[in-house]
Amino acid sequence: MIELTITPIPIHEYCKDHSSAPSNELLALIPATQAHAPQVAHMQVGHLEGKLLAILVQLMNAKNALEFGTFTGYSALAMAEALPKGGRVTTLDRDPKATAIAKEFWKKSIHGDKIELILGDARETLRKLETEIAGGIRPLYDLAFIDADKSGYETYYEACLKLVRKGGAILVDNVLWSGNVLNPVDESDHYIHNFNQKIASDSRVEKVMLPLRDGITMMVKL
């Protein structure tokens, strides 16, 4: 599978070769995604980004993670593998076909029971999560990962500021958008560029943008 990356491919591959290897379950999910969804397989979170999420979960001693955009389940499983016993990844999506692949592979992992998939419109799901947190049914999240429809980024980000605890992390994928943010042309280019501008001036978070894969912004909620 050709991964979507802003860095030169040889550098990207060198970084992968010098990072801890993914689990067998994650490795198997890569060709399965290619076989079932070849036109959009590049959407899958790759080795480096998955490992970054996992290490961040470990460094934070996170117990609860929230994800926007499940796709075939790589990033959710990468985080679940790093969570302690009793930890949970709540992942939101609206595509039953892609998530069917995810569920198939989660079942093969001893960490699959840490993943909660909620299908449906994320905006409606968010209202439910807010109500459950307010009612003490759910804890605030330690970490959130946004990798869904780009037009919804601002909505998801604002929701994260309510759902993630103070000192928690918010990560956003595809913030370099194949470099198109440098000279936005189409609608999706402008969505991402405008979102990046918003984050750059937002005093509610400490942030750093990294040229990893297609760009990822890491934030701490202040």
Side-chain angles (χ1 to χ4, degrees), residues 22 26-27 29-30 44-47 50 70 72-79:
L26 288 173
L27 284 172
L29 188 49
I30 295 171
Q44 186 176 61
V45 168
H47 177 179
T70 311
T72 57
Y74 190 107
S75 47
L77 183 55
M79 288 188 283

Side-chain angles (χ1 to χ4, degrees), residues 20-22 26 45-62 74-83 143 171:
S20 297
L26 288 173
V45 168
H47 177 179
L48 294 180
E49 202 165 7
K51 188 56 63 177
L52 176 68
L53 289 168
I55 288 177
L56 184 58
V57 165
Q58 292 173 300
L59 288 172
M60 294 180 66
N61 293 314
Y74 190 107
S75 47
L77 183 55
M79 288 188 283
E81 289 177 349
L83 285 170
L143 178 150
L171 292 89

Side-chain angles (χ1 to χ4, degrees), residues 86-97:
R88 178 165 62 177
V89 179
T90 302
T91 182
L92 315 181
D93 207 293
R94 63 188 308 165
D95 184 349
K97 291 184 178 180

Side-chain angles (χ1 to χ4, degrees), residues 2 20 34 36 49-50 57 61 88 97 130 141-142 206:
I2 298 176
S20 297
Q34 179 66 39
H36 288 86
E49 202 165 7
V57 165
N61 293 314
R88 178 165 62 177
K97 291 184 178 180
E130 286 184 34
Y141 290 97
D142 301 300
E206 188 79 8

Side-chain angles (χ1 to χ4, degrees), residues 104-135:
E104 176 186 343
F105 280 83
W106 294 342
K107 287 179 182 178
K108 298 177 182 179
S109 170
I110 60 173
H111 302 283
D113 61 355
K114 299 176 188 174
I115 304 173
E116 173 192 24
L117 170 66
I118 303 179
L119 281 174
D121 187 325
R123 292 166 178 80
E124 294 179 9
T125 301
L126 287 171
R127 287 192 286 271
K128 180 174 181 289
L129 294 180
E130 286 184 34
T131 299
E132 292 178 353
I133 288 174

Side-chain angles (χ1 to χ4, degrees), residues 2-7 42-43 150 153 173-186 188-189 192-193 196 209-216:
I2 298 176
E3 294 185 63
L4 181 62
T5 175
I6 201 73
T7 54
H42 62 275
M43 289 169 48
K150 310 315 170 191
Y153 266 26
D173 198 15
N174 302 117
V175 293
L176 292 178
W177 205 232
S178 299
N180 293 334
V181 290
L182 299 179
N183 183 29
V185 176
D186 66 24
S188 61
D189 300 346
I192 299 297
H193 174 66
N196 290 340
M209 182 183 286
L210 302 173
L212 173 66
R213 203 165 176 264
D214 191 34
I216 185 168

Side-chain angles (χ1 to χ4, degrees), residues 145-165:
F145 179 49
I146 301 173
D147 185 19
D149 58 291
K150 310 315 170 191
S151 62
Y153 266 26
E154 185 171 349
T155 297
Y156 305 147
Y157 170 70
E158 290 294 339
C160 286
L161 291 174
K162 299 177 183 177
L163 301 173
V164 173
R165 64 170 173 82

